[in-house]
Amino acid sequence: MNPEPWLFTYEDFAPEREGLREALCTLGNGYFATRGAAPESHADGTHYPGTYLAGGYNRLTTDLSGQVVENEDLVNMPNWLPLTFRLEGEDWFDLRAVTPLEYRQVLDLARGLLLRTVRFVDARGRRTRLEQRRFVHMRDKHLAGQEMVLVPENWSGQVRVRSALDGRVINAGVPRYQRLQGRHLRTLVAEEVDAQTLLLEVETVQSRLTVAEAARTRLFVEGAPAEHSRELLKEEGYVAHEFTVSLTEGQRLAVEKVVTLYSSRDHAVSEAAMEARHAARTAPERFEDLVSTHAQAWTHLWRRADLTLELAEPNGTHRVLRLHIFHLLQTVSPHSIDQDVGVPARGWHGEAYRGHIFWDELFIFPFLNLRLPALTRAILRYRHRRLPQARQAAREAGHPGAMFPWQSGSNGREESQSLHLNPRSGRWVADVTSLQRHINAAIAYNIWQYYQATADSEFLYFHGAEMLLELSRFWASMAQWNPALKRYEIKGVMGPDEYHTGYPDRAEPGLDNNTYTNLMAVWVLCKGLKVLRLLPAERLQELRETLRLEDSELAHWDEVSRRMRLVFHADGMLSQFEGYEQLQEFDWEGYRARYKDIHRLDRILEAEGDTPNRYKLSKQADVLMLFYLLSAEELRELLERLGYRMEPEMIGRTVEYYLQRTSHGSTLSGVVHAWVLARRDRAASWRLFSEVLHSDISDVQGGTTQEGIHLGAMAGSVDLIQRAYTGIEVRGGMLHFNPYLPEELRRLRFSLRYHKHLVDVDITPDTLRLTGLWSDQEPALDVCVRGKCLRLPPHETRTIPLGP
Ligand code: BGC
């Protein structure tokens, strides 16, 4: 196996890119994640060590010149990384104070390890080799570990080693949030447990979430326990062990730090600190044993999640796709199944968007549905548990049913901020993005897609149908009858394009008849009606009784789903919203010339005292989301149901029109556009796909990745390969293929899960080979390749020629 597509290697230390690398080298296991900060570092403008517990939120209020704002943040938990050293007569190790002879940092995707090697010479001419390894254990979610190896190359003498747990951290990872309160933790316990073990227990000040970390540090010289002296250091929120050990030239000192992390929200625990202490004491003896069980867990995950590519020209594509899968699985993993967590837009990798959950799962679930559907199910349950809050929110807005928040955190209330800072102008601006009610279509869509991919009728029975019905109810109520037009309308909302928040001449924010919202509302109502036919009679009756769902209400849903208004331009093109056609064209050329980077036109225009609301421009795909989510056939059926017609050639014109007017201010934008171009213009699609691939590794949004990865774009890029170019669709109880590989792709292999079947898929430009990998217990699988159906029995292979 060529190791290269599994390794990310950095050959230098570049302070200006360290924040980005820390985000990209984050290690996590779905339960907690720790940024790839150097173990000797602290938050100093270059480094930002951060450890985040999945779903570990806390709320704080800040007085912003008289306006009190409350924010719920993903809390930066105590830093377990500190493990460093000083050579006799020198200060504590600082890369900037020595002369590096060799520097290498490697993220090993196959084994989930972060490695760093530094050879350096200090002011006294002593040459030392330093090797570090780190993991966040993928099998035992409470474990993490670090190893530090020191070899004196040309000297003998004393080394002092410090291993600490640091709870003095605050949330300061996002410069834009710096004026907001960031002190979330209070220390409960900081103590020495025994000669090797430290304990730190903290509590979040508002949510009262207790987190305990224990660290066991052991020293070995030439593989045998080392003679050393020990000292304990304690400060408020901080506890450390310092060990002094003597080394002779060429001897190998290995320091092994095993850390355990528990919280008061865990299952099967008595009390967090007690568990952390106990787990640290009983963890396997040696670091190497932990590495091997950890790496094995990753091997098992990769078997389910990997894809192999052969490219016409080998380049970094394969590696980046794996990096994206890697970060997805570190954010949501089999450990998520037993937790109450959603999938955060920026991973548990940083503090951007405060760890909140948006609609981005729409771009993430399609990959999981066909690989690890149990994860989708777990994350959908995060929504279901918050159904009472969503019902309450709908009621407060004057609607029946359920209205989920645009940004969700701990308990499912709306967590969108009320003000945000435009770093360009320095002004705090009202944030009305929570008007993106379309999240309530995304959740319905996700439930439906999960069901299509898995046929999990139990999920539908207990959770899915209830949510779909409550969402249908909400959308039917959002639609208001316009007697003059004899159509239903949805007013005062925002579409996915966050640059349009309202009309320039209207005080109230929000737009009318956003096409994406209106049509997806119709889609939800159709599925709401359909799910009634899928439920067994007794459950249907139960739900209709509990929700008081009368025939008249269902008839109303049907009526709305046939008479929703869509707004078209004069030439018959779908308009982004009512009034869009009358907006001014934007001076793209002029702005490109004036500003190097025009991704964030909202900030640029606000700083100029202008607003995007006046122009035909968008941050990201809006109308085109429809072509991303719905097949051409489905879209045609929906339009017909509404009594509208769209000539097939109009799709191409619509794509062209909106693509030209999009600044791609969200990394999600490239995913959607690459998708809608996949069959229309393969070269353009591949170009956009390549841009999505670079979103995070090259930090195309200019400084945002260091605050957290963009998980939607990461998963979306993998899904472009998995579904867009293979034409895989799950609908109507059938698995469909319609491959159309870009020229750059010579071959693609992966195995997918569909209902109870596991299928090996092997695609070249000329053939599609499908192999049934499931057991004889399950029947053959009917699949459709370019509209022709065939039967695939278990353990057999079918090779289907793919003509041009
Ligand atoms: C995008 C949203 C997205 C959010 C979180 C915003 O920039 O406009 O569509 O949900 O980021 O990723």
Side-chain angles (χ1 to χ4, degrees):
M1 182 175 66
N2 175 4
E4 276 311 305
W6 293 99
L7 300 177
F8 265 82
T9 306
Y10 303 99
E11 302 278 1
D12 61 349
F13 172 65
E16 70 290 354
R17 288 198 295 276
E18 192 60 14
L20 171 63
R21 288 183 192 174
E22 286 178 356
L24 294 175
C25 292
T26 295
L27 295 182
N29 58 15
Y31 172 69
F32 78 101
T34 297
R35 291 166 61 85
E40 73 276 6
S41 72
H42 56 271
D44 60 359
T46 298
H47 302 279
Y48 189 75
T51 287
Y52 307 95
L53 182 70
Y57 300 107
N58 185 63
R59 290 176 186 162
L60 291 177
T61 50
T62 307
D63 188 341
L64 282 173
S65 325
Q67 190 161 353
V68 176
V69 294
E70 182 176 292
N71 284 303
E72 181 169 81
D73 284 88
L74 178 70
V75 177
N76 184 12
M77 295 295 176
N79 183 14
W80 60 272
L81 293 177
L83 180 62
T84 188
F85 63 93
R86 68 194 294 177
L87 307 187
E88 209 175 348
E90 285 289 322
D91 219 336
W92 290 100
F93 174 67
D94 178 353
L95 197 53
R96 283 165 285 205
V98 295
T99 311
L101 304 171
E102 198 183 316
Y103 186 91
R104 196 158 209 257
Q105 181 171 320
V106 179
L107 178 66
D108 178 339
L109 304 174
R111 296 184 299 159
L113 295 176
L114 182 61
L115 318 161
R116 188 167 77 144
T117 305
V118 189
R119 272 185 70 232
F120 64 90
V121 53
D122 65 17
R124 300 172 184 213
R126 287 178 295 194
R127 277 199 321 273
T128 309
R129 183 179 180 84
L130 165 68
E131 284 168 19
Q132 291 159 327
R133 288 195 291 170
R134 173 192 309 181
F135 63 80
V136 171
H137 210 276
M138 196 39 110
R139 177 157 318 150
D140 185 339
K141 66 180 184 185
H142 298 288
L143 274 181
Q146 270 194 92
E147 180 197 53
M148 173 176 83
V149 170
L150 279 176
V151 183
E153 291 190 349
N154 65 348
W155 55 273
S156 302
Q158 281 193 342
V159 181
R160 199 162 169 85
V161 170
R162 185 199 285 157
S163 171
L165 293 172
D166 189 355
R168 301 167 303 184
V169 293
I170 60 165
N171 273 49
V174 179
R176 288 183 307 290
Y177 304 163
Q178 225 122 68
R179 275 195 59 204
L180 304 168
Q181 289 295 339
R183 285 188 191 282
H184 293 279
L185 299 178
R186 160 166 60 227
T187 306
L188 301 178
V189 180
E191 66 181 23
E192 181 180 63
V193 175
D194 59 36
Q196 303 172 334
T197 315
L198 303 168
L199 176 77
L200 181 70
E201 189 182 23
V202 296
E203 181 184 59
T204 55
V205 293
Q206 171 272 331
S207 56
R208 300 285 176 92
L209 172 66
T210 305
V211 171
E213 292 177 4
R216 184 190 78 190
T217 311
R218 291 180 179 166
L219 286 74
F220 301 87
V221 172
E222 293 297 310
E227 292 277 323
H228 59 73
S229 66
R230 180 181 101 251
E231 218 178 296
L232 177 71
L233 272 79
K234 266 170 75 167
E235 270 178 42
E236 177 64 24
Y238 177 87
V239 57
H241 267 148
E242 284 190 13
F243 306 97
T244 306
V245 57
S246 291
L247 289 182
T248 50
E249 186 175 324
Q251 266 189 334
R252 188 175 189 275
L253 167 70
V255 185
E256 301 186 353
K257 179 176 185 181
V258 174
V259 172
T260 59
L261 189 154
Y262 281 79
S263 95
S264 52
R265 297 248 171 90
D266 294 336
H267 300 307
V269 297
S270 164
E271 184 263 332
M274 178 193 278
E275 307 298 340
R277 218 187 274 132
H278 176 75
R281 239 188 275 125
T282 53
E285 285 298 310
R286 294 302 304 261
F287 187 82
E288 210 52 59
D289 299 334
L290 284 163
V291 167
S292 78
T293 50
H294 165 69
Q296 188 190 55
W298 266 110
T299 306
H300 293 168
L301 269 183
W302 279 116
R303 274 186 210 151
R304 301 201 182 130
D306 196 19
L307 37 82
T308 34
L309 313 179
E310 276 173 32
L311 292 152
E313 257 179 67
N315 55 27
T317 301
H318 202 179
R319 206 157 46 119
V320 181
L321 285 170
R322 285 202 171 121
L323 179 80
H324 290 181
I325 298 172
F326 182 73
H327 283 304
L328 177 60
L329 295 177
Q330 296 200 110
T331 309
V332 286
S333 79
H335 298 300
S336 313
I337 294 172
D338 208 21
Q339 279 163 225
D340 173 34
V341 287
V343 47
R346 307 297 287 273
W348 311 118
H349 293 55
E351 291 157 22
Y353 285 134
R354 310 189 157 83
H356 292 171
I357 323 292
F358 297 64
W359 73 324
D360 301 46
E361 47 196 32
L362 188 63
F363 302 82
I364 293 167
F365 286 158
F367 173 75
L368 295 177
N369 283 343
L370 296 174
R371 303 304 193 96
L372 291 145
L375 303 191
T376 310
R377 182 186 164 118
I379 299 161
L380 287 172
R381 295 225 36 219
Y382 164 88
R383 296 289 188 184
H384 186 260
R385 285 187 205 99
R386 285 152 184 79
L387 193 50
Q389 275 280 3
R391 287 191 176 116
Q392 176 67 23
R395 253 196 315 278
E396 280 166 17
H399 299 288
M403 182 175 93
F404 286 90
W406 172 241
Q407 294 189 30
S408 186
S410 61
N411 67 354
R413 74 162 199 197
E414 179 61 75
E415 297 297 348
S416 297
Q417 56 193 348
S418 50
L419 290 176
H420 69 243
L421 179 70
N422 179 0
R424 206 175 253 283
S425 67
R427 278 191 287 268
W428 289 87
V429 187
D431 189 327
V432 297
T433 49
S434 61
L435 289 175
Q436 290 182 77
R437 301 290 178 234
H438 64 83
I439 180 133
N440 293 287
I443 293 173
Y445 185 89
N446 292 336
I447 294 168
W448 191 254
Q449 290 303 317
Y450 167 74
Y451 176 67
Q452 292 298 311
T454 59
D456 181 352
S457 47
E458 288 295 290
F459 175 75
L460 212 60
Y461 189 103
F462 286 108
H463 309 292
E466 187 184 10
M467 283 198 278
L468 271 177
L469 295 174
E470 288 289 65
L471 289 166
S472 300
R473 191 169 236 182
F474 166 71
W475 282 119
S477 161
M478 282 288 281
Q480 299 299 307
W481 180 242
N482 179 332
L485 295 173
K486 298 204 168 30
R487 287 269 178 189
Y488 287 92
E489 301 187 296
I490 296 179
K491 298 193 166 186
V493 300
M494 274 177 66
D497 161 26
E498 296 195 330
Y499 285 175
H500 284 104
T501 55
Y503 294 98
D505 52 1
R506 199 195 272 177
E508 278 296 295
L511 303 160
D512 300 339
N513 295 310
N514 169 255
T515 292
Y516 172 71
T517 306
N518 287 20
L519 203 62
M520 288 308 290
V522 170
W523 185 93
V524 176
L525 289 167
C526 292
K527 297 306 179 227
L529 291 167
K530 192 158 186 173
V531 80
L532 296 170
R533 300 198 293 274
L534 294 175
L535 290 174
E538 85 286 357
R539 180 61 176 152
L540 177 62
Q541 190 186 351
E542 262 171 33
L543 276 175
R544 288 194 61 167
E545 283 168 9
T546 348
L547 304 178
R548 302 207 182 136
L549 209 47
E550 305 291 342
D551 285 345
S552 57
E553 187 172 355
L554 299 178
H556 180 62
W557 295 5
D558 187 65
E559 151 87 6
V560 176
S561 78
R562 292 174 191 281
R563 305 243 13 111
M564 182 71 84
R565 178 173 174 209
L566 297 183
V567 178
F568 293 84
H569 289 177
D571 66 356
M573 183 179 301
L574 283 167
S575 187
Q576 190 169 315
F577 50 81
E578 190 176 354
Y580 180 93
E581 199 179 10
Q582 284 71 50
L583 300 179
Q584 287 176 42
E585 287 291 358
F586 184 66
D587 174 17
W588 293 94
E589 283 313 306
Y591 273 80
R592 271 196 198 104
R594 225 160 348 128
Y595 298 88
K596 217 171 77 226
D597 181 350
I598 61 161
H599 278 106
R600 295 304 302 262
L601 277 174
D602 55 337
R603 290 178 180 167
I604 292 177
L605 289 171
E606 194 277 331
E608 289 181 347
D610 202 348
T611 161
N613 283 329
R614 296 176 53 220
Y615 304 100
K616 286 179 177 141
L617 56 83
S618 51
K619 180 179 184 184
Q620 65 205 91
D622 197 301
V623 170
L624 300 188
M625 280 300 299
L626 293 169
F627 305 146
Y628 174 64
L629 296 180
L630 308 174
S631 65
E633 196 183 320
E634 230 177 331
L635 188 60
R636 188 177 41 77
E637 279 169 17
L638 283 175
L639 290 174
E640 269 173 19
R641 183 182 181 94
L642 294 168
Y644 293 117
R645 238 188 97 69
M646 188 165 71
E647 298 306 326
E649 54 87 31
M650 191 47 107
I651 298 188
R653 278 176 50 200
T654 313
V655 171
E656 203 46 30
Y657 180 89
Y658 287 106
L659 185 52
Q660 280 170 7
R661 289 165 179 77
T662 304
S663 80
H664 303 299
S666 158
T667 53
L668 298 174
S669 191
V671 175
V672 182
H673 288 104
W675 183 284
V676 299
L677 288 170
R679 264 141 227 279
R680 224 158 280 288
D681 183 346
R682 276 192 295 184
S685 171
W686 189 260
R687 254 196 321 276
L688 279 161
F689 161 75
S690 306
E691 278 172 29
V692 177
L693 275 193
H694 282 97
S695 301
D696 278 328
I697 53 162
S698 313
D699 189 17
V700 294
Q701 302 275 351
T704 62
T705 300
Q706 61 181 9
E707 301 164 355
I709 52 154
H710 296 82
L711 206 54
M714 282 195 167
S717 68
V718 183
D719 189 44
L720 280 166
I721 297 287
Q722 179 172 286
R723 287 193 311 144
Y725 300 133
T726 60
I728 290 179
E729 274 184 80
V730 289
R731 66 183 151 85
M734 191 73 117
L735 177 61
H736 297 260
F737 290 86
N738 184 7
Y740 196 53
L741 291 193
E743 277 169 11
E744 290 78 358
L745 216 51
R746 291 262 169 86
R747 189 171 173 193
L748 171 61
R749 270 194 88 159
F750 56 92
S751 48
L752 67 80
R753 201 162 269 285
Y754 174 72
H755 292 189
K756 290 184 174 162
H757 301 93
L758 186 65
V759 183
D760 182 75
V761 182
D762 186 351
I763 307 179
T764 67
D766 309 317
T767 54
L768 167 67
R769 272 162 63 93
L770 299 174
T771 307
L773 299 177
W774 63 91
S775 78
D776 296 322
Q777 308 295 317
E778 298 296 332
L781 173 69
D782 290 327
V783 294
C784 246
V785 182
R786 293 194 170 154
K788 283 209 190 92
C789 294
L790 61 105
R791 179 152 288 195
L792 180 66
H795 312 302
E796 287 195 22
T797 297
R798 294 278 181 271
T799 305
I800 304 107
L802 301 170

